Amino acid sequence: KSIRVTGDEIQLVFNSKFIGNVFVRDVSGRSIYQDQLVSDLYIMDVSSWSQGIYLITLQKDSGVIESHKLFID
């Protein structure tokens, strides 16, 4: 899996189909974005997001959770 920030997009690229949810929070803990995923490629439009640090959490249907810190500038 890889996470790419390219211009106004965040691309989540998985080695195989990811089934679960994505949650994004800002550094104050405020929920910015959430969606269900069933894909090996997922693209988020971040053009309206402010510059800053965000925490992306991926939660598989199996319950496995992983988090990643992103910088948007």
Side-chain angles (χ1 to χ4, degrees):
K1 161 192 51 43
S2 67
I3 298 175
R4 301 180 193 140
V5 180
T6 58
D8 291 341
E9 292 181 345
I10 295 174
Q11 299 177 356
L12 305 176
V13 182
F14 302 97
N15 296 332
S16 60
K17 187 184 336 183
F18 181 91
I19 301 172
N21 296 287
V22 59
F23 304 95
V24 180
R25 298 191 183 284
D26 64 14
V27 290
S28 67
R30 185 173 52 123
S31 179
I32 300 297
Y33 184 89
Q34 66 182 32
D35 201 1
Q36 290 184 317
L37 306 180
V38 181
S39 181
D40 59 353
L41 172 65
Y42 186 77
I43 298 173
M44 287 185 277
D45 177 7
V46 297
S47 60
S48 64
W49 296 12
S50 300
Q51 291 181 334
I53 300 170
Y54 294 89
L55 184 65
I56 292 185
T57 302
L58 300 170
Q59 181 177 14
K60 291 184 179 182
D61 279 352
S62 64
V64 175
I65 297 174
E66 59 182 79
S67 295
H68 304 273
K69 198 180 292 186
L70 285 180
F71 301 92
I72 304 291
D73 58 6

